[in-house]
Amino acid sequence: MKPINEAAISFLSRSANEGFARTAAACFAAQLDPTLDEVNDIKTAVSEAVTNAIVHAYPDRLGKVSLRLRLFEDGVLEIVVKDWGVGIEDVEKARQPLYTTGSEERSGMGFTIMESFMDALRVRSAPGKGTTVTMRRRISRRYSGGGR
Amino acid sequence: MSVTCTGEDRNLRLTVSGEVDHHGARAIMQELDRQVDAGLPRRLTLDLSGVTFMDSSGIAVLLRAYRRMAELGGALTVANVPPQALKVLRAAGLERIIRFE
């Protein structure tokens, strides 16, 4: 299925970009006229995925993180967060609640939050090559806008 | 993001404002540690009324406050949690171990 709109940004793995990325995603989602709850869910899930990339993908250097947003006819927003960092050895283990290899600021609940706030979550990773997190969320349409 | 501290008689109230994410969590934890070490409170209230966004970094902040107060044999209460933050904290099951009011 072809998207009806899409946007992409990339940024360095600096923690200051966490706020930038989630706000950009919320702005893109705004064209669907989402509820405040829906916007907050999107911001939270994007924050988790981008923070994972910033904390784990590039442990000793700055690297590139990309955020791609696509919107489909049926009101589904697809969010893809990709990095080219160290990758995840065992994705299944990493997705377990409370599992973390991070420092004490991390709770190990990132994937759990993404899973519970989005309709679908897919994580693809290869050690040494990077990680791609794909999330989908359907936004219920409240009116039909006239824009193209 | 900012943390302000009020309180007396070993009753400490920390009011957190702004966005609580990984970028800001370390500073909040440092301030929490500083205030707890200085005041040795019996009761700590974390007031989240000014929090405009929270992700799972907030879970780590609350768990740290909980651990610090447990070490001191004191009590932690989390107050005025905005709906977005509450949804995150509930997803982690925190209301089972921390008192919210």
Side-chain angles (χ1 to χ4, degrees):
Chain A
M1 199 164 45
K2 276 182 72 172
I4 55 172
N5 195 10
E6 64 178 280
I9 51 173
S10 67
F11 45 88
L12 280 181
S13 58
R14 286 195 187 279
S15 63
N17 288 327
E18 293 156 9
F20 165 65
R22 64 177 174 259
T23 305
C27 289
F28 183 81
Q31 63 195 291
L32 286 166
D33 191 26
T35 63
L36 183 60
D37 282 350
E38 287 167 336
V39 171
N40 282 336
D41 287 356
I42 291 162
K43 283 176 76 176
T44 311
V46 168
S47 197
E48 300 298 346
V50 168
T51 301
N52 270 352
I54 286 172
V55 172
H56 299 290
Y58 306 104
D60 46 17
R61 66 185 172 101
L62 286 173
K64 192 173 98 167
V65 180
S66 87
L67 169 68
R68 190 183 67 174
L69 302 151
R70 297 202 298 172
L71 187 59
F72 294 92
E73 196 78 58
D74 54 1
V76 170
L77 174 68
E78 183 192 73
I79 301 160
V80 181
V81 176
K82 188 173 168 63
D83 67 67
W84 291 263
V86 298
I88 303 169
E89 200 81 49
D90 185 342
V91 170
E92 207 174 316
K93 194 172 170 190
R95 288 178 66 156
Q96 296 299 311
L98 300 175
Y99 177 83
T100 182
T101 55
S103 58
E104 59 191 344
E105 294 104 63
R106 312 303 305 140
S107 66
M109 293 302 287
F111 280 127
T112 305
I113 302 269
M114 287 180 242
E115 245 165 25
S116 65
F117 284 32
M118 296 284 109
D119 296 329
L121 169 70
R122 191 182 67 202
V123 184
R124 287 195 171 156
S125 191
K129 292 195 171 157
T131 301
T132 304
V133 173
T134 304
M135 301 182 278
R136 286 197 183 85
R137 171 74 186 254
R138 185 187 295 274
I139 306 296
S140 45
R141 280 194 195 274
R142 292 189 290 168
Y143 79 108
S144 52
R148 280 202 296 173
Chain B
M1 191 279 302
S2 75
V3 183
T4 54
C5 181
T6 53
E8 55 186 15
D9 287 346
R10 298 177 70 187
N11 267 324
L12 201 62
R13 188 177 193 90
L14 288 181
T15 304
V16 182
S17 300
E19 303 200 311
V20 181
D21 61 3
H22 159 252
H23 183 61
R26 186 181 293 253
I28 297 172
M29 285 183 175
Q30 282 170 351
E31 184 61 14
L32 170 77
D33 281 347
R34 209 171 64 81
Q35 295 293 348
V36 168
D37 288 341
L40 299 176
R42 284 199 191 91
R43 187 185 154 93
L44 171 66
T45 304
L46 271 183
D47 185 337
L48 303 184
S49 55
V51 170
T52 52
F53 174 82
M54 179 183 279
D55 66 14
S56 66
S57 311
I59 298 168
V61 171
L62 262 61
L63 286 175
R64 188 180 185 99
Y66 176 77
R67 271 197 300 269
R68 292 303 319 267
M69 289 311 292
E71 283 164 16
L72 293 174
L76 170 70
T77 303
V78 178
N80 304 320
V81 188
Q84 185 271 333
L86 190 60
K87 191 171 176 184
V88 171
L89 299 172
R90 280 207 172 125
L94 247 60
E95 79 271 30
R96 291 201 294 269
I97 56 165
I98 291 175
R99 203 164 83 95
F100 289 83
E101 64 171 36

